[in-house]
Amino acid sequence: MPVRWLMTLGERNRPDEPAYADCPPPGQARAAALVDDCGQLFPILLSWRQRFGHDVTGYAVQVEADDIERLPPRVVEDWGPDGLRLDTMPGGYVVVSDHRDHDEPTVNRVGHQVSRSAVAAAPGECPQVRRSEGGLHIP
């Protein structure tokens, strides 16, 4: 089964906490998408922003799935905000927060700290994103 990115539309439904967003599982979210590459999530998020309002949040994780209509039960049962969180911001920006568990950083031969997951990233896999690093502009 191929590894893909699954993203659901988070709900910012607490006006008292504007940064809060629920993380509904697939099947309960107003929108969901299954794509082959992490980079394909951004145009989808842009489309959701245009359809559902300017401040939307997407939660995305890598899953083994063939079809969004027939997701393995464990994907839906284990769904939670432990992947990437993508928040749209005014001006067309997206803030990406990485909530995945990563290996402890290792030291390479020249003494710089490098994350194992960043070094071992497979082609087509989403590159490591530092927590709360933003500034990606969607034209």
Side-chain angles (χ1 to χ4, degrees), residues 45-111:
L45 194 66
L46 172 63
S47 134
W48 290 352
R49 182 181 65 198
Q50 291 170 344
R51 183 169 181 195
F52 299 112
H54 292 295
D55 294 329
V56 296
T57 296
Y59 289 100
V61 296
Q62 285 187 296
V63 298
E64 290 185 7
D66 289 324
D67 184 359
I68 196 164
E69 298 295 326
R70 292 185 301 274
L71 294 170
R74 63 177 161 62
V75 169
V76 177
E77 292 164 4
D78 295 340
W79 189 257
D82 56 353
L84 298 180
R85 177 178 165 154
L86 298 92
D87 290 293
T88 60
M89 305 300 286
Y93 291 91
V94 173
V95 175
V96 178
S97 303
D98 188 355
H99 297 283
R100 297 175 289 173
D101 290 331
H102 293 289
D103 295 334
E104 291 296 317
T106 58
V107 178
N108 67 14
R109 287 190 283 199
V110 292

Side-chain angles (χ1 to χ4, degrees), residues 5 12 14-15 20 32 43 78 84 90 94 111 130:
W5 284 92
R12 292 190 189 181
R14 293 181 60 183
Y20 176 83
D78 295 340
L84 298 180
V94 173
R130 288 189 180 86

Side-chain angles (χ1 to χ4, degrees), residues 119-136:
V119 173
E125 190 175 326
C126 184
Q128 179 173 345
V129 181
R130 288 189 180 86
R131 186 165 297 206
S132 298
E133 181 175 315
L136 179 61

